Amino acid sequence: MSDKGLLKRFLILIVSFGVFNSLIATYQFFAFKSFGLQFIGEPVLSFLPGISKVAFPGTILIRGYGLFSHPNILGAYLFLCVMISIFFIEKIVLTSPKLKIIKLLFAELSLILCVFGLMVSFSRSAIIVSVISLAIFFYFLFFQKKENNPAKLRKSETWVGIFSIVFSIFIVSFVLGDIILPRFQGLVGSEAFIDRIKYSQMALDVIEKNPALGIGIGSGVSYFLKNNIYSMFGFNNFWQFEPVHNLYLIIALEIGIFGLFFFLLFIFNLLIMISKLIFKKSDNKLEPILCLSILVGNLTLGIFDHYFWDSSSGILIFWTAITISLSIIFSNRQRKMQDIIS
C-alpha cells in the first residue's frame, strides 16, 4: 500500500474515533450521566465536585467528556476531526469521480457529528481555534496564486467545504445555540480567565528563579504546593491545585528556557517546511494546507491549556498532528526524489 493510502486510512480512523466520541459526549450531555463504557476509559460523570459543568439559567449542565479525562481535551481532538472532515470533503469534490455523492454524505455527516460533539464539550478555546484554523484553510484554498497551483480548486468547489461547515454550524446552533452563546459572554472577565492569568504569573515568578534548566518534568504542581505558591495567589481549594494553563510557560517552568527554545525551534522548522510545500508550484495543495491549519490551531490551543504537555491523551493529539505533517513532508520529498531519478 502506498504512503498516501496509509495516510488516508489513518485520517479516516481519527475521524471515526471522533464521531464515536461525539456520540458518547452527546449522550452524556443530554442524559446527565456516563454511557457506561468505563472499561474503555469513559470517566464516571455526576454532579459531584470536580466534574466540569456549565451554568445555564435555571439549571446546571454536565459538559461532554466522551472517553477523555476532560471536555477541553475532547474539544482539542474534535477540532482535529473537524479539520480532517473538511479536508476530506474538499478532496472528494476534487478527485473522486466514483460514488462522489455517497462519499460526500458520509463526510458531511461526520463533520456535523464532530461539530456537535465539539459544541457539547463547551471548550471555548477549541471552538475559537476551530474558527481560526478554518479561516486559514479556506484562505489558502481561495487565494493560491495560479502559477503556484496549476490544478487550483475552482471557487465553486471550494464553496462546497464552506457550505458544509456553515450547514453543520446551523444545525448545531438550532439545537444548542441558546446554551452555547452565553458561554462566550464575559469571557475576558470570567473567573476561569482570571485564574489562568494567576497561574501564568506563578509560573513566571518560578521561571525567573530557575531559568536555565527548570524545576524538573512533572514537578510544577508539587513545587507550587511545597512552596505555598498556590495560597499566595488565593488558591486554597484542592480542585484549584492545577498546572500552569499555558504549554509554553509549563515547558519553560519544567525544563527551562533552553528546553523551550529547542521545542520552538523544532516547531518553527516544521512550519517552514509546510509553508514551502504550500507556496511551491505543485498540484498537491490540500494536504500541506490541512497541516498548516492544524498546527496553527494546536499551537494556539497551547496558549490556553496544559494538556498537550501533561495528559497522555493530550500528548497523543498534539504529536498525531505533528506525525501527519511529517508524513506529508517526507512523502513530498520522496516523490521529488523519484521524479529526479526517473
Side-chain angles (χ1 to χ4, degrees):
M1 184 181 295
S2 66
D3 292 342
K4 273 196 170 185
L6 285 172
L7 179 61
K8 180 181 177 181
R9 293 195 176 194
F10 183 54
L11 295 179
I12 290 173
L13 185 62
I14 290 173
V15 174
S16 299
F17 187 64
V19 169
F20 179 68
N21 271 277
S22 294
L23 294 172
I24 299 299
T26 301
Y27 174 86
Q28 294 165 344
F29 174 73
F30 285 108
F32 306 104
K33 62 179 182 180
S34 303
F35 189 76
L37 297 176
Q38 283 73 33
F39 64 96
I40 56 172
E42 183 189 15
V44 178
L45 302 182
S46 67
F47 286 99
L48 294 173
I51 299 300
S52 189
K53 311 171 190 71
V54 59
F56 187 66
T59 187
I60 299 292
L61 303 171
I62 293 177
R63 295 169 63 186
Y65 278 67
L67 300 180
F68 293 90
S69 59
H70 195 277
N72 287 348
I73 305 178
L74 171 65
Y77 185 79
L78 291 179
F79 151 68
L80 180 64
C81 294
V82 166
M83 296 306 302
I84 295 173
S85 297
I86 283 291
F87 162 78
F88 273 131
I89 288 171
E90 294 290 357
K91 193 79 171 176
I92 290 166
V93 170
L94 183 64
T95 62
S96 294
K98 296 181 180 179
L99 302 175
K100 181 178 287 190
I101 298 299
I102 296 174
K103 290 180 180 179
L104 273 175
L105 287 175
F106 272 108
E108 179 63 39
L109 180 60
S110 298
L111 177 63
I112 292 172
L113 291 174
C114 288
V115 169
F116 202 95
L118 176 62
M119 294 304 176
V120 298
S121 76
F122 289 91
S123 174
R124 290 174 290 200
S125 57
I127 293 171
I128 292 170
V129 161
S130 296
V131 173
I132 294 171
S133 293
L134 285 167
I136 292 170
F137 184 84
F138 287 116
Y139 172 82
F140 280 105
L141 285 187
F142 255 100
F143 297 106
Q144 276 294 306
K145 291 183 179 180
K146 189 173 182 180
E147 60 269 20
N148 289 334
N149 190 8
K152 181 181 178 183
L153 281 168
R154 293 190 299 270
K155 288 190 176 181
S156 59
E157 293 168 337
T158 306
W159 276 107
V160 173
I162 296 176
F163 172 78
S164 297
I165 193 66
V166 170
F167 180 67
S168 302
I169 293 171
F170 173 79
I171 291 177
V172 173
S173 299
F174 183 77
V175 180
L176 299 173
D178 292 339
I179 303 174
I180 294 170
L181 291 178
R183 175 86 172 150
F184 289 89
Q185 294 175 355
L187 175 61
V188 175
S190 66
E191 183 180 353
F193 185 84
I194 294 170
D195 286 349
R196 276 167 165 75
I197 294 175
K198 290 182 179 179
Y199 287 127
S200 297
Q201 187 58 55
M202 289 164 53
L204 289 170
D205 291 348
V206 176
I207 291 168
E208 189 176 352
K209 298 174 184 176
N210 306 272
L213 300 177
I215 59 175
I217 294 177
S219 302
V221 173
S222 59
Y223 184 94
F224 291 152
L225 286 169
K226 182 180 179 181
N227 293 277
N228 298 316
I229 297 175
Y230 282 119
S231 58
M232 292 178 191
F233 282 82
F235 297 127
N236 299 307
N237 299 307
F238 75 92
W239 48 267
Q240 294 177 307
F241 301 153
E242 295 190 20
V244 181
H245 284 61
N246 184 296
L247 172 64
Y248 312 102
L249 287 179
I250 201 171
I251 291 175
L253 173 69
E254 296 190 358
I255 61 175
I257 298 297
F258 290 118
L260 177 61
F261 171 76
F262 286 113
F263 171 76
L264 292 177
L265 183 63
F266 168 74
I267 294 297
F268 177 75
N269 278 297
L270 191 61
L271 289 171
I272 291 295
M273 287 187 285
I274 290 294
S275 299
K276 286 181 178 179
L277 292 179
I278 292 174
F279 290 107
K280 78 172 186 178
K281 188 174 182 179
S282 170
D283 292 347
N284 184 24
K285 295 292 183 180
L286 278 175
E287 286 87 352
I289 291 173
L290 171 69
C291 290
L292 180 66
S293 305
I294 291 174
L295 284 174
V296 170
N298 278 352
L299 294 172
T300 306
L301 281 173
I303 298 172
F304 303 107
D305 227 314
H306 55 86
Y307 46 74
F308 286 152
W309 180 256
D310 57 10
S311 164
S312 57
S313 51
I315 292 168
L316 279 172
I317 293 168
F318 185 84
W319 289 100
T320 293
I322 299 293
T323 301
I324 294 170
S325 299
L326 289 173
S327 172
I328 289 169
I329 289 169
F330 290 125
S331 176
N332 275 271
R333 286 188 176 180
Q334 186 180 28
R335 194 181 305 115
K336 184 178 179 181
M337 289 298 297
Q338 289 174 348
D339 291 342
I340 292 172
I341 294 171
S342 59

